[in-house]
Structures are given as C-alpha cells and as structure tokens.
Amino acid sequence: WKIVGPAHKQRFLDFTGTGENNNVDSSGSLLMHIRENVFQSAPFNRFFKLITSLGMALGHRGRIRRFRPGLDYTVAHYGILTKKAVLDATLCFCFGNGEQCRVDEETGDLIGSDADAVWASGDCGGFECYIEADDEAEEGSAEAADEYDDEDDSELLSVSACNNTFSLVYRDPGTMRFVKYVGCRAPSS
C-alpha cells in the first residue's frame, strides 16, 4: 500500500501489488485479482453494455483504494472535472452487514446494524459525493470550493459506504466526484 497525495487534494492508500511483504492471500492482492480478472474482462464489459445501454467501454482506469478513519479523503477541485461522460463503478467493502438501513417513522432514527447505520447516516464521512461544478468559478478562476457544505444545492448524489456493494454512477461532463473525509469514529477503513 502506498500513500497517494498531494495532501491539499487527496490522501488515501493505493494498492500497488509490489514489495517484499506482498502476500498472495492479502486483501489487496485479492482485490487486484478481482480488478484484473473480473472488472477488466470482456464478459464484464458486455455486462456493462447490457445493463447501461452505453455501448462498449472505450477505456478504463482502475484503482484499489483504502480510506483510513481519521486520515483519508479526496477534495473536489477543477483538476478532477470531467470533459466527457464517465461511468463510475465502485466496489465497496467496509465493516457492517451490508444491509439497507430503514428509518423509524416515529423517531427518525436509522434501524439496522450499528455499523451500517453509522455509514448510512453520513456522520462519519466516507461517502462518495457527486457535485456539479460552479460554472462562474470555473470560468473566472481555477479555484474550487475548499470545503463540502451540507446545505450546498450543487450536490447531485451521495453514495454511502456499505459492505459488499457495487455502485454504478453515470457522471455527466461538468460533474466532480470526491470521497468525504473519513472521520475517526468510522467503524472501519
């Protein structure tokens, strides 16, 4: 695992698959096997074409990332702004049962396992957030907002971390994606 930066834009661990301590049975090695033998396979590409009606993929980028509680994040900035439409495919593993939490009608509390409820609430961060870029700021300067504002109306979608889930998000041009800082109270990385 290697730390990815620069710190003013992002910080997380990226599995490189190299080094003396690389165990074939490690979680990173198993995820690399899934990436290379499943996600990058022709049958999986045909599956994407079937369920999305987008046609065959023209290319792909794949990373095995780990976000540690109290340490890791990515920041929305215009360097990550897409010029073309992108299909983001994310396979997520974190502590929890992977169950959809329900809301108690009377109290408004989340019902589910504690870990699933913490991830679903968004209070500990770790969710992927999709926002539309501010057109005025993009044209006037290359500076993006430095912080995520819960009241911001440019948020398009948030995808909470949930164990053993696969999410597909079609991102239009002019949309940014970032991972909210994973707070120290998160149940896992």
Side-chain angles (χ1 to χ4, degrees):
W1 295 95
K2 175 181 85 167
I3 295 177
V4 175
H8 69 285
K9 292 184 179 181
Q10 60 190 1
R11 180 186 168 120
F12 58 85
L13 296 178
D14 187 37
F15 186 75
T16 59
T18 60
E20 297 176 12
N21 297 331
N22 186 27
N23 181 354
V24 178
D25 293 329
S26 73
S27 59
S29 295
L30 294 172
L31 291 170
M32 181 173 277
H33 177 78
I34 291 170
R35 183 184 76 190
E36 293 173 352
N37 296 301
V38 177
F39 284 168
Q40 296 175 359
S41 69
F44 204 68
N45 196 349
R46 288 191 301 273
F47 172 68
F48 273 150
K49 180 182 175 193
L50 179 70
I51 65 172
T52 64
S53 302
L54 294 176
M56 295 301 270
L58 301 176
H60 66 275
R61 280 187 312 199
R63 284 188 122 155
I64 300 168
R65 303 182 302 177
R66 179 179 178 196
F67 291 86
R68 300 163 297 167
L71 294 172
D72 298 330
Y73 55 88
T74 59
V75 175
H77 58 88
Y78 286 102
I80 62 170
L81 190 62
T82 57
K83 303 289 185 214
K84 296 182 180 179
V86 175
L87 181 65
D88 291 325
T90 304
L91 180 62
C92 180
F93 295 103
C94 61
F95 183 72
N97 296 330
E99 296 175 5
Q100 182 80 24
C101 290
R102 297 180 317 274
V103 176
D104 185 327
E105 299 286 332
E106 294 176 14
T107 64
D109 294 336
L110 289 172
I111 302 170
S113 76
D114 289 342
D116 290 329
V118 169
W119 287 119
S121 72
D123 291 342
C124 64
F127 56 87
E128 284 187 309
C129 188
Y130 293 85
I131 59 172
E132 82 182 301
D134 183 11
D135 293 333
E136 295 169 8
E138 183 182 7
E139 293 169 5
S141 70
E143 191 174 315
D146 287 336
E147 61 185 60
Y148 171 76
D149 181 6
D150 287 332
E151 305 300 320
D152 190 4
D153 62 352
S154 65
E155 179 184 339
L156 302 172
L157 174 69
S158 288
V159 180
S160 296
C162 187
N163 188 39
N164 197 26
T165 57
F166 181 67
S167 61
L168 287 175
V169 176
Y170 182 74
R171 190 166 28 132
D172 287 326
T175 304
M176 291 188 267
R177 172 183 79 161
F178 67 96
V179 175
K180 174 73 169 154
Y181 173 77
V182 181
C184 62
R185 291 193 177 127
S188 68
S189 59

